[in-house]
Amino acid sequence: MVDIATRVWNHKWKIDPIIRSLIDTDFYKLLMCQSIYRNMPDIQVAFSLINRTKAIRLAEIVDEGELREQLDHIRSLSLSRGESTWLRGNTFYGKRQMFTSEFMEWFENLRLPVYHLEKREGQYELTFEGSWPEVMLWEIPALSVLMELRGRAVLHRMRRFELQVLYARGMTKLWEKVERLRRIEDLRIADFGTRRRHSFLWQDWCVQAMTEGLGEKFIGTSNCLIAKNRDLEAIGTSAHELQMVYAALAETDEELVKSPYRVLSDWHEEHDGNLRIILPDTYGTDAFLKNAPDWLASWTGIRIDSGNPAEGAEKAIEWWKSRGQNPAGKLVIFSDGLDEERMAELHAQFSGRVRISFGWGTLLTNDFRGLVASDALAPFSLVCKAVSANGRPTVKLSDNPLKATGPNREIARYKRVFGLGRQKERELVV
């Protein structure tokens, strides 16, 4: 096992790049990338970094030269033979050859496209523009780099024994969470913590701790590289990005209303089983469920990613009942800002009523709250979103208005078209 504190103390950039591989990313990005490559390869999309925690002034914390060095290193990466073999030959979600030969040939020759970086008002403006299948793969590594460089800036001021104690405390804190979680009967939990992790080495340690501490209750990791290296299941389905881009391409309000279901229709043709998971909150869960076609009710489950998670699950249960489905056989995945206490509460509330699974993200792989002065390592809400498609702005509304993105005028239009009423704000932890 790697001595993380010593590696941090002795850190040399050329030995320890933040992103080690193009598959140091979330599994859902690769699933979506293949779908996009098949259905919309020529759409021109722009992604942009969005720091929703304005108090964290990244451009005053992270050195621009070091950031560029890390981003340039990512552009030099390509799939190794072993990585390609794993993607081509492994079984994912019970399916052999999840990735087609055509997609894999494209991916094996891919180098990530150029980026644009500048500073503005204490923040970095980091954007990526190009064909959708290429630029979308910048999202996860870009976030991982910024989060880790911010952490390195804090750790650089610490002495050797301070670092040893910090990581010992961090490990103890996580292990205590694991001990509480393993008391839950029939727990199913996966690591979703790549995008806002403390570091790659720390995420890898967290996954090893979950594997040993939870046994079969730990069902896998969203991180493809760690899944490959640790012989674990790669976990993930799809994200808001698909619906945001499809919606931006809609020509009329009527097409806009139908766009989320067009996304899932394309997905339905490609995947089955546990990959058929509905993500309903891009433009409000209420509107999505109200207008959803009947065939969606047959899907395996739903992922709750914003708003009040208990209320979201209750809405899903009532929707399934209204469509003649038995909720007890359906899967509800909770994935928004979770920690062990909230997961225990949700499991107790819904156990026996639905099948339950948790995607544990930032508070698994980046919870050093209370372990350093002024909470200088506390996680914050950093995202990288698609902001335009073929020159048209994208919008995300969410069930939490604090997560909304897009120009104000377009946000107002989308709220009108989707019939989104007054929403309750929930504190953004991550």
Side-chain angles (χ1 to χ4, degrees):
M1 184 176 293
V2 173
D3 182 344
I4 299 176
T6 298
R7 281 285 281 272
V8 171
W9 174 255
N10 293 330
H11 181 267
K12 300 294 183 184
W13 136 251
K14 291 183 179 179
I15 298 174
D16 238 358
I18 291 174
I19 302 299
R20 294 152 167 76
S21 162
L22 285 184
I23 67 166
D24 183 8
T25 191
D26 284 331
F27 186 59
Y28 78 85
K29 293 297 288 191
L30 299 188
L31 288 177
M32 291 199 308
C33 188
Q34 176 169 251
S35 179
I36 292 162
Y37 180 77
R38 173 190 174 190
N39 296 304
M40 292 190 170
D42 299 322
I43 301 299
Q44 298 298 295
V45 173
F47 277 74
S48 183
L49 188 75
I50 302 170
N51 184 1
R52 297 188 294 212
T53 308
K54 300 299 184 184
I56 305 293
R57 298 173 66 84
L58 282 175
E60 298 173 3
I61 299 171
V62 172
D63 177 75
E64 181 178 349
E66 189 171 5
L67 174 55
R68 288 185 181 277
E69 195 172 25
Q70 294 284 353
L71 296 174
D72 290 341
H73 172 74
I74 295 170
R75 293 199 65 224
S76 74
L77 295 173
S78 61
L79 284 188
S80 72
R81 181 177 298 178
E83 292 163 352
S84 179
T85 299
W86 182 74
L87 288 170
R88 284 179 177 269
N90 198 43
T91 299
F92 300 100
Y93 283 81
K95 181 178 179 180
R96 295 282 292 179
Q97 295 182 328
M98 176 71 77
F99 300 101
T100 67
S101 293
E102 182 183 15
F103 172 74
M104 285 304 305
E105 288 173 8
W106 172 84
F107 193 23
E108 287 160 353
N109 289 289
L110 176 69
R111 300 293 190 280
L112 291 190
V114 297
Y115 61 88
H116 179 73
L117 177 68
E118 60 182 79
K119 296 180 180 180
R120 190 182 302 275
E121 298 179 354
Q123 301 293 348
Y124 280 116
E125 289 192 354
L126 178 59
T127 57
F128 314 96
E129 298 183 44
S131 67
W132 191 6
E134 293 182 353
V135 295
M136 68 175 295
L137 294 177
W138 262 117
E139 177 189 357
I140 306 301
L143 291 173
S144 299
V145 163
L146 263 299
M147 296 301 293
E148 185 162 345
L149 285 179
R150 180 261 194 159
R152 288 185 182 185
V154 175
L155 298 174
H156 183 71
R157 302 193 296 267
M158 300 179 71
R159 293 172 294 181
R160 185 167 190 168
F161 281 93
E162 286 183 293
L163 290 170
Q164 292 284 358
V165 171
L166 171 67
Y167 282 106
R169 288 173 173 168
M171 290 174 179
T172 301
K173 184 176 186 179
L174 175 59
W175 190 251
E176 289 173 349
K177 294 182 184 185
V178 169
E179 289 181 320
R180 290 191 286 270
L181 285 170
R182 68 182 173 201
R183 301 185 194 124
I184 300 174
E185 294 294 330
D186 302 319
L187 176 69
R188 287 171 52 87
I189 187 169
D191 158 41
F192 276 18
T194 299
R195 63 179 54 229
R196 285 188 288 266
R197 67 194 181 194
H198 171 71
S199 72
F200 174 82
L201 294 177
W202 182 250
Q203 182 184 14
D204 189 44
W205 187 91
C206 292
V207 167
Q208 292 177 72
M210 296 272 281
T211 302
E212 180 173 316
L214 295 177
E216 293 183 354
K217 295 178 178 181
F218 180 57
I219 60 174
T221 173
S222 66
N223 187 287
C224 296
L225 182 60
I226 294 175
K228 171 184 172 292
N229 291 346
R230 300 295 174 190
D231 194 24
L232 295 167
E233 293 290 333
I235 303 293
T237 54
S238 65
H240 302 99
E241 173 188 336
L242 287 175
Q243 296 183 36
M244 291 169 66
V245 172
Y246 273 60
L249 298 174
E251 296 290 347
T252 65
D253 287 356
E254 183 180 3
E255 288 184 9
L256 179 57
V257 171
K258 294 179 179 178
S259 62
Y261 313 114
R262 183 185 168 201
V263 170
L264 299 181
S265 178
D266 285 346
W267 195 263
H268 190 92
E269 292 180 7
E270 296 182 57
H271 301 296
D272 55 17
N274 282 349
L275 285 174
R276 288 184 178 172
I277 301 296
I278 299 167
L279 183 61
D281 68 319
T282 310
Y283 302 117
T285 295
D286 290 340
F288 181 95
L289 296 178
K290 178 182 177 181
N291 297 314
D294 288 338
W295 57 265
L296 264 179
S298 68
W299 273 34
T300 302
I302 200 165
R303 180 159 71 90
I304 310 296
D305 194 56
S306 65
N308 183 302
E311 290 178 3
E314 294 289 1
K315 290 175 182 177
I317 289 171
E318 290 306 311
W319 177 69
W320 280 317
K321 289 179 178 178
S322 73
R323 300 300 177 97
Q325 299 287 321
N326 180 9
K330 297 296 186 180
L331 176 63
V332 175
I333 302 173
F334 297 99
S335 62
D336 181 30
L338 298 173
D339 214 349
E340 81 281 7
E341 292 181 3
R342 189 61 174 132
M343 287 187 277
E345 293 170 358
L346 290 167
H347 193 278
Q349 183 173 350
F350 293 99
S351 180
R353 301 175 63 195
V354 293
R355 295 160 52 212
I356 305 165
S357 185
F358 299 100
W360 194 9
T362 307
L363 296 182
L364 165 64
T365 61
N366 197 0
D367 188 9
F368 289 81
R369 294 172 298 174
L371 302 185
V372 295
S374 303
D375 265 351
L377 284 177
F380 61 102
S381 189
L382 185 70
V383 296
C384 184
K385 295 290 185 184
V387 294
S388 71
N390 282 356
R392 299 177 178 180
T394 62
V395 171
K396 179 190 173 191
L397 298 180
S398 179
D399 285 329
N400 181 355
L402 294 181
K403 287 189 171 185
T405 62
N408 290 336
R409 181 175 178 178
E410 287 298 300
I411 288 176
R413 173 184 168 234
Y414 275 59
K415 285 184 175 180
R416 172 182 59 79
V417 170
F418 286 99
L420 196 65
R422 188 176 182 86
Q423 293 178 292
K424 184 177 180 180
E425 293 184 354
R426 287 176 58 83
E427 180 185 3
L428 283 179
V429 179
V430 291

